[in-house]
Amino acid sequence: MSKINQAIYEIQSLDTLANENRWVNRLHPLVKLWVTILYIGITVSFPKYNLSGLLVMAVYPVILFVVGEISFKDSVRRLRLVLPVVCVVGIFNPLFDKDIVTHFGSLAVSGGVLSMITLMLKGILTVLAGYLLIVSTTIEKICYALRLLHLPKLFVTQVLLIYRYLSVLLAEANRVTQAYALRAPGQKGVHFKVWGSLAGQLLLRSMDRAENLYESMCLRGYEGEFYYGSRIKLRVADMGYLLVWTAAFLVLRFFPVLEVIGGSFVA
């Protein structure tokens, strides 16, 4: 399977997961979006040396992975290109902050090393939170929640169209590369001399497809905003989910949970 076909398959797999009939998927999209935003905001608000406090924030993705029956192995595989980039953040901190701030047994840990680990963990947790939102909520429901937050309809429409027609663009790119491969048998990849012409062909084909899509949208009554389906009502379970996680995040942020648990075992 080519890389383009693999990318198309991954997008379709995410759509399949988001459309499954799981309890997480049935929650109100605005509630899930708000919980995700709140989680990311609280996670990044931890001080750079507060690694013990940040570790307990992993409770949220762990519980969703387990209760929502979401494969952690597949998640890591899909995020294999994003997670290393996130982990690069703060990699030079040990070079600038060499003051010893704590000890793990006989091992002295500098502030740079501790802040680097904290930044990496923040990035990993926030990426996982965003991924869990995507695999449990369709793009239409996410856009519906964004409109409930009164985000501009132009912005929401752009988000929806980019996500929905990314696979269309990839399919066009796959046709172009396949046609090139048939005309250049035995050649590995695309020769750099034809990159410009192929990119131009892809642009022209994409513009033609976009024009056809827009005309189809107008024929179906498009007037500047999509219809995201019937209004989704908030249920008691949705409000309970929101209140429980909001309270849990606040407790985890302002209460030293790990220290209390460790102190109870020492005592």
Side-chain angles (χ1 to χ4, degrees):
M1 183 182 295
S2 66
K3 292 183 179 180
I4 298 179
N5 285 330
Q6 181 66 30
I8 297 174
Y9 172 76
E10 291 296 343
I11 294 175
Q12 293 174 348
S13 298
L14 291 177
D15 290 337
T16 301
L17 288 173
N19 282 292
E20 288 184 357
N21 188 25
R22 296 172 298 185
W23 74 272
V24 179
N25 298 43
R26 293 193 296 268
L27 291 171
H28 196 284
L30 180 59
V31 169
K32 288 186 285 186
L33 179 63
W34 173 250
V35 169
T36 302
I37 294 174
L38 181 63
Y39 175 80
I40 293 175
I42 291 180
T43 298
V44 300
S45 71
F46 277 85
K48 61 181 180 179
Y49 296 147
N50 191 0
L51 179 60
S52 60
L54 186 61
L55 285 173
V56 297
M57 295 300 294
V59 170
Y60 172 70
V62 168
I63 290 179
L64 285 190
F65 273 117
V66 174
V67 181
E69 299 179 354
I70 301 172
S71 173
F72 181 76
K73 180 180 178 181
D74 292 341
S75 303
V76 173
R77 179 179 56 79
R78 292 191 178 100
L79 300 173
R80 64 187 181 277
L81 298 179
V82 179
L83 293 179
V85 176
V86 170
C87 292
V88 171
V89 178
I91 197 171
F92 295 108
N93 284 20
L95 300 178
F96 300 102
D97 188 357
K98 299 180 180 180
D99 296 333
I100 304 302
V101 295
T102 187
H103 290 80
F104 286 99
S106 59
L107 179 63
V109 180
S110 66
V113 173
L114 191 60
S115 63
M116 177 188 68
I117 297 175
T118 302
L119 284 173
M120 289 180 177
L121 186 57
K122 285 181 180 180
I124 292 172
L125 292 178
T126 53
V127 168
L128 288 177
Y131 172 80
L132 288 169
L133 175 65
I134 293 173
V135 298
S136 62
T137 315
T138 62
I139 187 64
E140 288 82 8
K141 290 183 178 180
I142 293 177
C143 291
Y144 172 71
L146 292 175
R147 288 297 294 143
L148 290 179
L149 294 176
H150 299 288
L151 266 71
K153 62 182 181 181
L154 179 61
F155 171 78
V156 177
T157 300
Q158 290 295 324
V159 171
L160 178 61
L161 289 178
I162 289 173
Y163 185 87
R164 271 289 162 233
Y165 297 110
L166 180 60
S167 58
V168 177
L169 176 61
L170 291 174
E172 290 293 338
N174 190 46
R175 293 189 186 96
V176 171
T177 54
Q178 284 182 345
Y180 176 83
L182 292 174
R183 288 165 175 78
Q187 181 175 315
K188 185 178 181 181
V190 179
H191 198 275
F192 73 92
K193 292 183 178 180
V194 297
W195 285 358
S197 60
L198 287 183
Q201 288 294 325
L202 180 60
L203 175 62
L204 293 176
R205 292 168 66 92
S206 300
M207 291 174 63
D208 291 339
R209 179 62 68 88
E211 185 68 26
N212 294 333
L213 289 172
Y214 180 71
E215 291 176 356
S216 300
M217 290 160 52
C218 292
L219 290 174
R220 288 168 173 80
Y222 176 73
E223 296 180 350
E225 185 171 8
F226 282 97
Y227 175 68
Y228 300 108
S230 58
R231 183 176 178 85
I232 305 175
K233 296 182 179 180
L234 278 172
R235 302 170 301 167
V236 176
D238 300 322
M239 295 305 300
Y241 182 87
L242 175 62
L243 294 176
V244 168
W245 279 121
T246 301
F249 294 158
L250 293 176
V251 170
L252 296 177
R253 175 63 181 87
F254 298 106
F255 192 70
V257 177
L258 282 184
E259 295 180 10
V260 173
I261 295 176
S264 63
F265 280 106
V266 172

